PDB file of all heavy atoms in Angstrom:
ATOM      1  N   ARG A   1       7.635  19.445  11.996  1.00 72.00           N
ATOM      2  CA  ARG A   1       7.533  18.028  12.389  1.00 72.00           C
ATOM      3  C   ARG A   1       6.127  17.481  12.121  1.00 72.00           C
ATOM      4  O   ARG A   1       5.949  16.337  11.704  1.00 72.00           O
ATOM      5  CB  ARG A   1       7.896  17.872  13.864  1.00 72.00           C
ATOM      6  CG  ARG A   1       7.842  16.439  14.367  1.00 72.00           C
ATOM      7  CD  ARG A   1       8.704  15.530  13.511  1.00 72.00           C
ATOM      8  NE  ARG A   1       8.516  14.134  13.834  1.00 72.00           N
ATOM      9  CZ  ARG A   1       8.821  13.137  13.032  1.00 72.00           C
ATOM     10  NH1 ARG A   1       9.323  13.387  11.828  1.00 72.00           N
ATOM     11  NH2 ARG A   1       8.615  11.893  13.403  1.00 72.00           N
ATOM     12  N   TYR A   2       5.137  18.359  12.346  1.00 73.00           N
ATOM     13  CA  TYR A   2       3.755  17.937  12.091  1.00 73.00           C
ATOM     14  C   TYR A   2       3.557  17.634  10.599  1.00 73.00           C
ATOM     15  O   TYR A   2       2.938  16.638  10.228  1.00 73.00           O
ATOM     16  CB  TYR A   2       2.792  19.023  12.566  1.00 73.00           C
ATOM     17  CG  TYR A   2       1.364  18.766  12.151  1.00 73.00           C
ATOM     18  CD1 TYR A   2       0.587  17.826  12.828  1.00 73.00           C
ATOM     19  CD2 TYR A   2       0.785  19.465  11.075  1.00 73.00           C
ATOM     20  CE1 TYR A   2      -0.723  17.579  12.446  1.00 73.00           C
ATOM     21  CE2 TYR A   2      -0.521  19.226  10.693  1.00 73.00           C
ATOM     22  CZ  TYR A   2      -1.265  18.281  11.381  1.00 73.00           C
ATOM     23  OH  TYR A   2      -2.562  18.037  11.006  1.00 73.00           O
ATOM     24  N   ARG A   3       4.105  18.496   9.743  1.00 78.00           N
ATOM     25  CA  ARG A   3       3.997  18.258   8.299  1.00 78.00           C
ATOM     26  C   ARG A   3       4.701  16.959   7.900  1.00 78.00           C
ATOM     27  O   ARG A   3       4.188  16.171   7.097  1.00 78.00           O
ATOM     28  CB  ARG A   3       4.612  19.434   7.536  1.00 78.00           C
ATOM     29  CG  ARG A   3       3.750  20.690   7.553  1.00 78.00           C
ATOM     30  CD  ARG A   3       4.318  21.724   6.596  1.00 78.00           C
ATOM     31  NE  ARG A   3       4.381  21.193   5.241  1.00 78.00           N
ATOM     32  CZ  ARG A   3       4.995  21.821   4.236  1.00 78.00           C
ATOM     33  NH1 ARG A   3       5.621  22.979   4.453  1.00 78.00           N
ATOM     34  NH2 ARG A   3       5.001  21.298   3.028  1.00 78.00           N
ATOM     35  N   GLU A   4       5.889  16.722   8.440  1.00 77.00           N
ATOM     36  CA  GLU A   4       6.615  15.482   8.142  1.00 77.00           C
ATOM     37  C   GLU A   4       5.826  14.269   8.616  1.00 77.00           C
ATOM     38  O   GLU A   4       5.788  13.231   7.944  1.00 77.00           O
ATOM     39  CB  GLU A   4       7.991  15.521   8.806  1.00 77.00           C
ATOM     40  CG  GLU A   4       8.937  16.555   8.207  1.00 77.00           C
ATOM     41  CD  GLU A   4      10.236  16.651   8.993  1.00 77.00           C
ATOM     42  OE1 GLU A   4      10.345  15.937  10.025  1.00 77.00           O
ATOM     43  OE2 GLU A   4      11.127  17.417   8.595  1.00 77.00           O
ATOM     44  N   LEU A   5       5.226  14.431   9.786  1.00 76.00           N
ATOM     45  CA  LEU A   5       4.471  13.310  10.353  1.00 76.00           C
ATOM     46  C   LEU A   5       3.272  12.967   9.481  1.00 76.00           C
ATOM     47  O   LEU A   5       3.010  11.793   9.188  1.00 76.00           O
ATOM     48  CB  LEU A   5       4.025  13.649  11.781  1.00 76.00           C
ATOM     49  CG  LEU A   5       3.264  12.548  12.527  1.00 76.00           C
ATOM     50  CD1 LEU A   5       4.140  11.298  12.656  1.00 76.00           C
ATOM     51  CD2 LEU A   5       2.832  13.029  13.906  1.00 76.00           C
ATOM     52  N   THR A   6       2.541  13.986   9.055  1.00 77.00           N
ATOM     53  CA  THR A   6       1.377  13.723   8.197  1.00 77.00           C
ATOM     54  C   THR A   6       1.818  13.126   6.856  1.00 77.00           C
ATOM     55  O   THR A   6       1.130  12.246   6.315  1.00 77.00           O
ATOM     56  CB  THR A   6       0.583  15.022   7.962  1.00 77.00           C
ATOM     57  OG1 THR A   6       1.464  16.036   7.446  1.00 77.00           O
ATOM     58  CG2 THR A   6      -0.051  15.510   9.251  1.00 77.00           C
ATOM     59  N   ARG A   7       2.959  13.583   6.320  1.00 82.00           N
ATOM     60  CA  ARG A   7       3.444  13.018   5.063  1.00 82.00           C
ATOM     61  C   ARG A   7       3.866  11.559   5.250  1.00 82.00           C
ATOM     62  O   ARG A   7       3.603  10.703   4.397  1.00 82.00           O
ATOM     63  CB  ARG A   7       4.621  13.840   4.543  1.00 82.00           C
ATOM     64  CG  ARG A   7       5.102  13.373   3.161  1.00 82.00           C
ATOM     65  CD  ARG A   7       6.117  14.322   2.537  1.00 82.00           C
ATOM     66  NE  ARG A   7       7.331  14.393   3.345  1.00 82.00           N
ATOM     67  CZ  ARG A   7       7.685  15.464   4.042  1.00 82.00           C
ATOM     68  NH1 ARG A   7       6.901  16.543   4.063  1.00 82.00           N
ATOM     69  NH2 ARG A   7       8.816  15.485   4.732  1.00 82.00           N
ATOM     70  N   GLU A   8       4.525  11.254   6.365  1.00 80.00           N
ATOM     71  CA  GLU A   8       4.919   9.883   6.652  1.00 80.00           C
ATOM     72  C   GLU A   8       3.698   8.970   6.774  1.00 80.00           C
ATOM     73  O   GLU A   8       3.703   7.835   6.292  1.00 80.00           O
ATOM     74  CB  GLU A   8       5.741   9.833   7.941  1.00 80.00           C
ATOM     75  CG  GLU A   8       7.149  10.400   7.811  1.00 80.00           C
ATOM     76  CD  GLU A   8       7.890  10.380   9.138  1.00 80.00           C
ATOM     77  OE1 GLU A   8       7.325   9.815  10.105  1.00 80.00           O
ATOM     78  OE2 GLU A   8       8.996  10.922   9.211  1.00 80.00           O
ATOM     79  N   ILE A   9       2.659   9.488   7.414  1.00 78.00           N
ATOM     80  CA  ILE A   9       1.438   8.682   7.562  1.00 78.00           C
ATOM     81  C   ILE A   9       0.815   8.403   6.197  1.00 78.00           C
ATOM     82  O   ILE A   9       0.386   7.273   5.906  1.00 78.00           O
ATOM     83  CB  ILE A   9       0.434   9.407   8.492  1.00 78.00           C
ATOM     84  CG1 ILE A   9       0.978   9.440   9.920  1.00 78.00           C
ATOM     85  CG2 ILE A   9      -0.928   8.722   8.449  1.00 78.00           C
ATOM     86  CD1 ILE A   9       0.141  10.282  10.866  1.00 78.00           C
ATOM     87  N   ALA A  10       0.767   9.430   5.345  1.00 79.00           N
ATOM     88  CA  ALA A  10       0.195   9.247   4.009  1.00 79.00           C
ATOM     89  C   ALA A  10       1.013   8.247   3.195  1.00 79.00           C
ATOM     90  O   ALA A  10       0.453   7.373   2.517  1.00 79.00           O
ATOM     91  CB  ALA A  10       0.131  10.592   3.287  1.00 79.00           C
ATOM     92  N   GLU A  11       2.351   8.367   3.281  1.00 80.00           N
ATOM     93  CA  GLU A  11       3.212   7.434   2.545  1.00 80.00           C
ATOM     94  C   GLU A  11       3.068   6.021   3.080  1.00 80.00           C
ATOM     95  O   GLU A  11       3.069   5.049   2.311  1.00 80.00           O
ATOM     96  CB  GLU A  11       4.665   7.894   2.636  1.00 80.00           C
ATOM     97  CG  GLU A  11       4.966   9.169   1.862  1.00 80.00           C
ATOM     98  CD  GLU A  11       6.390   9.642   2.075  1.00 80.00           C
ATOM     99  OE1 GLU A  11       7.081   9.041   2.939  1.00 80.00           O
ATOM    100  OE2 GLU A  11       6.815  10.592   1.381  1.00 80.00           O
ATOM    101  N   ARG A  12       2.950   5.891   4.393  1.00 81.00           N
ATOM    102  CA  ARG A  12       2.805   4.565   4.988  1.00 81.00           C
ATOM    103  C   ARG A  12       1.485   3.925   4.566  1.00 81.00           C
ATOM    104  O   ARG A  12       1.427   2.747   4.248  1.00 81.00           O
ATOM    105  CB  ARG A  12       2.895   4.674   6.508  1.00 81.00           C
ATOM    106  CG  ARG A  12       2.867   3.330   7.220  1.00 81.00           C
ATOM    107  CD  ARG A  12       3.125   3.508   8.703  1.00 81.00           C
ATOM    108  NE  ARG A  12       4.427   4.109   8.949  1.00 81.00           N
ATOM    109  CZ  ARG A  12       4.853   4.442  10.158  1.00 81.00           C
ATOM    110  NH1 ARG A  12       4.067   4.260  11.222  1.00 81.00           N
ATOM    111  NH2 ARG A  12       6.042   4.968  10.312  1.00 81.00           N
ATOM    112  N   ARG A  13       0.425   4.723   4.547  1.00 80.00           N
ATOM    113  CA  ARG A  13      -0.865   4.199   4.115  1.00 80.00           C
ATOM    114  C   ARG A  13      -0.823   3.786   2.648  1.00 80.00           C
ATOM    115  O   ARG A  13      -1.377   2.749   2.265  1.00 80.00           O
ATOM    116  CB  ARG A  13      -1.959   5.245   4.334  1.00 80.00           C
ATOM    117  CG  ARG A  13      -2.339   5.427   5.789  1.00 80.00           C
ATOM    118  CD  ARG A  13      -3.350   6.543   5.957  1.00 80.00           C
ATOM    119  NE  ARG A  13      -3.766   6.676   7.356  1.00 80.00           N
ATOM    120  CZ  ARG A  13      -4.526   7.661   7.806  1.00 80.00           C
ATOM    121  NH1 ARG A  13      -4.940   8.622   6.974  1.00 80.00           N
ATOM    122  NH2 ARG A  13      -4.863   7.706   9.072  1.00 80.00           N
ATOM    123  N   HIS A  14      -0.156   4.591   1.825  1.00 77.00           N
ATOM    124  CA  HIS A  14      -0.025   4.245   0.410  1.00 77.00           C
ATOM    125  C   HIS A  14       0.783   2.960   0.241  1.00 77.00           C
ATOM    126  O   HIS A  14       0.425   2.096  -0.578  1.00 77.00           O
ATOM    127  CB  HIS A  14       0.663   5.392  -0.337  1.00 77.00           C
ATOM    128  CG  HIS A  14       0.908   5.096  -1.784  1.00 77.00           C
ATOM    129  ND1 HIS A  14      -0.102   5.088  -2.721  1.00 77.00           N
ATOM    130  CD2 HIS A  14       2.062   4.785  -2.460  1.00 77.00           C
ATOM    131  CE1 HIS A  14       0.400   4.783  -3.900  1.00 77.00           C
ATOM    132  NE2 HIS A  14       1.717   4.606  -3.779  1.00 77.00           N
ATOM    133  N   ALA A  15       1.873   2.814   1.002  1.00 75.00           N
ATOM    134  CA  ALA A  15       2.704   1.607   0.920  1.00 75.00           C
ATOM    135  C   ALA A  15       1.927   0.383   1.378  1.00 75.00           C
ATOM    136  O   ALA A  15       2.032  -0.697   0.779  1.00 75.00           O
ATOM    137  CB  ALA A  15       3.969   1.785   1.756  1.00 75.00           C
ATOM    138  N   GLU A  16       1.142   0.531   2.444  1.00 76.00           N
ATOM    139  CA  GLU A  16       0.337  -0.592   2.925  1.00 76.00           C
ATOM    140  C   GLU A  16      -0.706  -0.995   1.892  1.00 76.00           C
ATOM    141  O   GLU A  16      -0.944  -2.182   1.660  1.00 76.00           O
ATOM    142  CB  GLU A  16      -0.327  -0.222   4.250  1.00 76.00           C
ATOM    143  CG  GLU A  16       0.640  -0.121   5.427  1.00 76.00           C
ATOM    144  CD  GLU A  16      -0.038   0.346   6.705  1.00 76.00           C
ATOM    145  OE1 GLU A  16      -1.233   0.737   6.616  1.00 76.00           O
ATOM    146  OE2 GLU A  16       0.614   0.328   7.757  1.00 76.00           O
ATOM    147  N   ALA A  17      -1.339   0.028   1.267  1.00 67.00           N
ATOM    148  CA  ALA A  17      -2.328  -0.278   0.232  1.00 67.00           C
ATOM    149  C   ALA A  17      -1.674  -0.974  -0.953  1.00 67.00           C
ATOM    150  O   ALA A  17      -2.230  -1.922  -1.530  1.00 67.00           O
ATOM    151  CB  ALA A  17      -3.015   1.008  -0.219  1.00 67.00           C
ATOM    152  N   ARG A  18      -0.457  -0.510  -1.322  1.00 70.00           N
ATOM    153  CA  ARG A  18       0.272  -1.124  -2.417  1.00 70.00           C
ATOM    154  C   ARG A  18       0.661  -2.565  -2.090  1.00 70.00           C
ATOM    155  O   ARG A  18       0.541  -3.465  -2.930  1.00 70.00           O
ATOM    156  CB  ARG A  18       1.530  -0.304  -2.702  1.00 70.00           C
ATOM    157  CG  ARG A  18       2.441  -0.864  -3.785  1.00 70.00           C
ATOM    158  CD  ARG A  18       1.786  -0.811  -5.138  1.00 70.00           C
ATOM    159  NE  ARG A  18       2.685  -1.262  -6.178  1.00 70.00           N
ATOM    160  CZ  ARG A  18       2.291  -1.542  -7.409  1.00 70.00           C
ATOM    161  NH1 ARG A  18       1.014  -1.427  -7.738  1.00 70.00           N
ATOM    162  NH2 ARG A  18       3.164  -1.935  -8.308  1.00 70.00           N
ATOM    163  N   ALA A  19       1.100  -2.782  -0.856  1.00 68.00           N
ATOM    164  CA  ALA A  19       1.481  -4.136  -0.425  1.00 68.00           C
ATOM    165  C   ALA A  19       0.271  -5.059  -0.430  1.00 68.00           C
ATOM    166  O   ALA A  19       0.363  -6.226  -0.842  1.00 68.00           O
ATOM    167  CB  ALA A  19       2.106  -4.087   0.956  1.00 68.00           C
ATOM    168  N   GLN A  20      -0.866  -4.546   0.042  1.00 69.00           N
ATOM    169  CA  GLN A  20      -2.080  -5.356   0.030  1.00 69.00           C
ATOM    170  C   GLN A  20      -2.500  -5.694  -1.394  1.00 69.00           C
ATOM    171  O   GLN A  20      -2.940  -6.812  -1.678  1.00 69.00           O
ATOM    172  CB  GLN A  20      -3.203  -4.621   0.765  1.00 69.00           C
ATOM    173  CG  GLN A  20      -2.999  -4.531   2.270  1.00 69.00           C
ATOM    174  CD  GLN A  20      -4.093  -3.725   2.949  1.00 69.00           C
ATOM    175  OE1 GLN A  20      -4.948  -3.134   2.287  1.00 69.00           O
ATOM    176  NE2 GLN A  20      -4.052  -3.684   4.273  1.00 69.00           N
ATOM    177  N   LEU A  21      -2.362  -4.699  -2.287  1.00 64.00           N
ATOM    178  CA  LEU A  21      -2.714  -4.941  -3.689  1.00 64.00           C
ATOM    179  C   LEU A  21      -1.812  -6.005  -4.306  1.00 64.00           C
ATOM    180  O   LEU A  21      -2.280  -6.919  -4.995  1.00 64.00           O
ATOM    181  CB  LEU A  21      -2.604  -3.633  -4.473  1.00 64.00           C
ATOM    182  CG  LEU A  21      -2.934  -3.714  -5.971  1.00 64.00           C
ATOM    183  CD1 LEU A  21      -4.396  -4.103  -6.171  1.00 64.00           C
ATOM    184  CD2 LEU A  21      -2.621  -2.400  -6.664  1.00 64.00           C
ATOM    185  N   LEU A  22      -0.490  -5.899  -4.058  1.00 67.00           N
ATOM    186  CA  LEU A  22       0.446  -6.885  -4.601  1.00 67.00           C
ATOM    187  C   LEU A  22       0.207  -8.269  -4.018  1.00 67.00           C
ATOM    188  O   LEU A  22       0.367  -9.277  -4.703  1.00 67.00           O
ATOM    189  CB  LEU A  22       1.885  -6.441  -4.327  1.00 67.00           C
ATOM    190  CG  LEU A  22       2.360  -5.193  -5.074  1.00 67.00           C
ATOM    191  CD1 LEU A  22       3.751  -4.797  -4.618  1.00 67.00           C
ATOM    192  CD2 LEU A  22       2.341  -5.432  -6.586  1.00 67.00           C
ATOM    193  N   ALA A  23      -0.166  -8.316  -2.749  1.00 72.00           N
ATOM    194  CA  ALA A  23      -0.416  -9.607  -2.104  1.00 72.00           C
ATOM    195  C   ALA A  23      -1.697 -10.251  -2.598  1.00 72.00           C
ATOM    196  O   ALA A  23      -1.855 -11.470  -2.522  1.00 72.00           O
ATOM    197  CB  ALA A  23      -0.470  -9.425  -0.586  1.00 72.00           C
ATOM    198  N   ALA A  24      -2.627  -9.447  -3.121  1.00 73.00           N
ATOM    199  CA  ALA A  24      -3.938  -9.975  -3.509  1.00 73.00           C
ATOM    200  C   ALA A  24      -4.095 -10.153  -5.005  1.00 73.00           C
ATOM    201  O   ALA A  24      -5.067 -10.786  -5.439  1.00 73.00           O
ATOM    202  CB  ALA A  24      -5.041  -9.045  -2.986  1.00 73.00           C
ATOM    203  N   THR A  25      -3.197  -9.611  -5.824  1.00 87.00           N
ATOM    204  CA  THR A  25      -3.382  -9.653  -7.272  1.00 87.00           C
ATOM    205  C   THR A  25      -2.183 -10.258  -7.976  1.00 87.00           C
ATOM    206  O   THR A  25      -1.086 -10.347  -7.429  1.00 87.00           O
ATOM    207  CB  THR A  25      -3.619  -8.232  -7.837  1.00 87.00           C
ATOM    208  OG1 THR A  25      -2.489  -7.409  -7.517  1.00 87.00           O
ATOM    209  CG2 THR A  25      -4.872  -7.616  -7.241  1.00 87.00           C
ATOM    210  N   ASP A  26      -2.423 -10.647  -9.216  1.00 89.00           N
ATOM    211  CA  ASP A  26      -1.369 -11.149 -10.083  1.00 89.00           C
ATOM    212  C   ASP A  26      -0.705  -9.963 -10.766  1.00 89.00           C
ATOM    213  O   ASP A  26      -1.381  -9.153 -11.416  1.00 89.00           O
ATOM    214  CB  ASP A  26      -1.966 -12.093 -11.131  1.00 89.00           C
ATOM    215  CG  ASP A  26      -0.968 -12.490 -12.179  1.00 89.00           C
ATOM    216  OD1 ASP A  26       0.078 -13.056 -11.813  1.00 89.00           O
ATOM    217  OD2 ASP A  26      -1.216 -12.212 -13.366  1.00 89.00           O
ATOM    218  N   PRO A  27       0.607  -9.786 -10.649  1.00 89.00           N
ATOM    219  CA  PRO A  27       1.265  -8.577 -11.185  1.00 89.00           C
ATOM    220  C   PRO A  27       1.194  -8.459 -12.700  1.00 89.00           C
ATOM    221  O   PRO A  27       1.245  -7.355 -13.229  1.00 89.00           O
ATOM    222  CB  PRO A  27       2.715  -8.729 -10.698  1.00 89.00           C
ATOM    223  CG  PRO A  27       2.889 -10.189 -10.415  1.00 89.00           C
ATOM    224  CD  PRO A  27       1.555 -10.676  -9.958  1.00 89.00           C
ATOM    225  N   LEU A  28       1.070  -9.582 -13.413  1.00 91.00           N
ATOM    226  CA  LEU A  28       1.048  -9.527 -14.875  1.00 91.00           C
ATOM    227  C   LEU A  28      -0.315  -9.088 -15.405  1.00 91.00           C
ATOM    228  O   LEU A  28      -0.406  -8.173 -16.227  1.00 91.00           O
ATOM    229  CB  LEU A  28       1.426 -10.895 -15.458  1.00 91.00           C
ATOM    230  CG  LEU A  28       1.317 -11.018 -16.981  1.00 91.00           C
ATOM    231  CD1 LEU A  28       2.337 -10.100 -17.657  1.00 91.00           C
ATOM    232  CD2 LEU A  28       1.534 -12.468 -17.420  1.00 91.00           C
ATOM    233  N   THR A  29      -1.377  -9.719 -14.926  1.00 92.00           N
ATOM    234  CA  THR A  29      -2.705  -9.496 -15.500  1.00 92.00           C
ATOM    235  C   THR A  29      -3.580  -8.564 -14.671  1.00 92.00           C
ATOM    236  O   THR A  29      -4.603  -8.089 -15.165  1.00 92.00           O
ATOM    237  CB  THR A  29      -3.432 -10.838 -15.648  1.00 92.00           C
ATOM    238  OG1 THR A  29      -3.588 -11.437 -14.348  1.00 92.00           O
ATOM    239  CG2 THR A  29      -2.637 -11.788 -16.538  1.00 92.00           C
ATOM    240  N   GLY A  30      -3.191  -8.317 -13.424  1.00 90.00           N
ATOM    241  CA  GLY A  30      -4.027  -7.508 -12.553  1.00 90.00           C
ATOM    242  C   GLY A  30      -5.218  -8.248 -11.985  1.00 90.00           C
ATOM    243  O   GLY A  30      -6.045  -7.659 -11.274  1.00 90.00           O
ATOM    244  N   CYS A  31      -5.325  -9.541 -12.261  1.00 92.00           N
ATOM    245  CA  CYS A  31      -6.401 -10.360 -11.689  1.00 92.00           C
ATOM    246  C   CYS A  31      -6.084 -10.679 -10.230  1.00 92.00           C
ATOM    247  O   CYS A  31      -4.969 -10.482  -9.752  1.00 92.00           O
ATOM    248  CB  CYS A  31      -6.532 -11.668 -12.462  1.00 92.00           C
ATOM    249  SG  CYS A  31      -6.931 -11.480 -14.203  1.00 92.00           S
ATOM    250  N   LEU A  32      -7.082 -11.196  -9.538  1.00 93.00           N
ATOM    251  CA  LEU A  32      -6.826 -11.730  -8.210  1.00 93.00           C
ATOM    252  C   LEU A  32      -5.889 -12.918  -8.324  1.00 93.00           C
ATOM    253  O   LEU A  32      -5.783 -13.548  -9.377  1.00 93.00           O
ATOM    254  CB  LEU A  32      -8.137 -12.171  -7.550  1.00 93.00           C
ATOM    255  CG  LEU A  32      -9.209 -11.091  -7.330  1.00 93.00           C
ATOM    256  CD1 LEU A  32     -10.468 -11.728  -6.742  1.00 93.00           C
ATOM    257  CD2 LEU A  32      -8.703  -9.981  -6.437  1.00 93.00           C
ATOM    258  N   ASN A  33      -5.185 -13.230  -7.233  1.00 91.00           N
ATOM    259  CA  ASN A  33      -4.370 -14.446  -7.225  1.00 91.00           C
ATOM    260  C   ASN A  33      -5.110 -15.557  -6.489  1.00 91.00           C
ATOM    261  O   ASN A  33      -6.236 -15.383  -6.038  1.00 91.00           O
ATOM    262  CB  ASN A  33      -2.990 -14.186  -6.621  1.00 91.00           C
ATOM    263  CG  ASN A  33      -3.070 -13.639  -5.201  1.00 91.00           C
ATOM    264  OD1 ASN A  33      -4.041 -13.876  -4.476  1.00 91.00           O
ATOM    265  ND2 ASN A  33      -2.043 -12.903  -4.792  1.00 91.00           N
ATOM    266  N   ARG A  34      -4.460 -16.708  -6.387  1.00 89.00           N
ATOM    267  CA  ARG A  34      -5.134 -17.878  -5.806  1.00 89.00           C
ATOM    268  C   ARG A  34      -5.590 -17.623  -4.375  1.00 89.00           C
ATOM    269  O   ARG A  34      -6.707 -17.978  -4.004  1.00 89.00           O
ATOM    270  CB  ARG A  34      -4.188 -19.085  -5.846  1.00 89.00           C
ATOM    271  CG  ARG A  34      -4.783 -20.353  -5.257  1.00 89.00           C
ATOM    272  CD  ARG A  34      -3.765 -21.482  -5.287  1.00 89.00           C
ATOM    273  NE  ARG A  34      -3.502 -21.912  -6.649  1.00 89.00           N
ATOM    274  CZ  ARG A  34      -4.163 -22.870  -7.272  1.00 89.00           C
ATOM    275  NH1 ARG A  34      -5.155 -23.504  -6.655  1.00 89.00           N
ATOM    276  NH2 ARG A  34      -3.852 -23.212  -8.508  1.00 89.00           N
ATOM    277  N   ARG A  35      -4.738 -17.002  -3.566  1.00 87.00           N
ATOM    278  CA  ARG A  35      -5.082 -16.811  -2.158  1.00 87.00           C
ATOM    279  C   ARG A  35      -6.260 -15.857  -1.991  1.00 87.00           C
ATOM    280  O   ARG A  35      -7.211 -16.154  -1.253  1.00 87.00           O
ATOM    281  CB  ARG A  35      -3.864 -16.278  -1.395  1.00 87.00           C
ATOM    282  CG  ARG A  35      -4.102 -16.111   0.093  1.00 87.00           C
ATOM    283  CD  ARG A  35      -2.842 -15.660   0.806  1.00 87.00           C
ATOM    284  NE  ARG A  35      -2.378 -14.365   0.329  1.00 87.00           N
ATOM    285  CZ  ARG A  35      -1.292 -13.765   0.796  1.00 87.00           C
ATOM    286  NH1 ARG A  35      -0.545 -14.367   1.712  1.00 87.00           N
ATOM    287  NH2 ARG A  35      -0.917 -12.592   0.325  1.00 87.00           N
ATOM    288  N   SER A  36      -6.220 -14.724  -2.695  1.00 91.00           N
ATOM    289  CA  SER A  36      -7.302 -13.758  -2.552  1.00 91.00           C
ATOM    290  C   SER A  36      -8.587 -14.247  -3.203  1.00 91.00           C
ATOM    291  O   SER A  36      -9.680 -13.818  -2.837  1.00 91.00           O
ATOM    292  CB  SER A  36      -6.892 -12.413  -3.146  1.00 91.00           C
ATOM    293  OG  SER A  36      -6.548 -12.553  -4.506  1.00 91.00           O
ATOM    294  N   MET A  37      -8.457 -15.148  -4.199  1.00 93.00           N
ATOM    295  CA  MET A  37      -9.656 -15.680  -4.845  1.00 93.00           C
ATOM    296  C   MET A  37     -10.497 -16.493  -3.872  1.00 93.00           C
ATOM    297  O   MET A  37     -11.734 -16.515  -3.950  1.00 93.00           O
ATOM    298  CB  MET A  37      -9.251 -16.541  -6.044  1.00 93.00           C
ATOM    299  CG  MET A  37     -10.432 -17.081  -6.849  1.00 93.00           C
ATOM    300  SD  MET A  37     -11.465 -15.780  -7.524  1.00 93.00           S
ATOM    301  CE  MET A  37     -12.465 -16.714  -8.690  1.00 93.00           C
TER     302      MET A  37
END
């Protein structure tokens, strides 16, 4: 259970980082978007 828990935490952190990246950048060019700019 401890191993599953640590893996879930790592996956959750990766998903949050990915969501933050998508929310802050333009998916086509990789530039910042209007809001994050």
Side-chain angles (χ1 to χ4, degrees):
R1 181 55 189 160
Y2 171 77
R3 286 189 59 189
E4 292 174 357
L5 182 60
T6 54
R7 185 171 63 250
E8 288 177 6
I9 292 173
E11 290 175 353
R12 185 173 300 176
R13 286 176 177 172
H14 177 74
E16 289 176 352
R18 177 67 176 167
Q20 290 177 354
L21 180 64
L22 292 175
T25 59
D26 172 58
L28 175 66
T29 61
C31 299
L32 299 177
N33 58 26
R34 180 182 291 269
R35 183 177 62 180
S36 58
M37 184 60 167

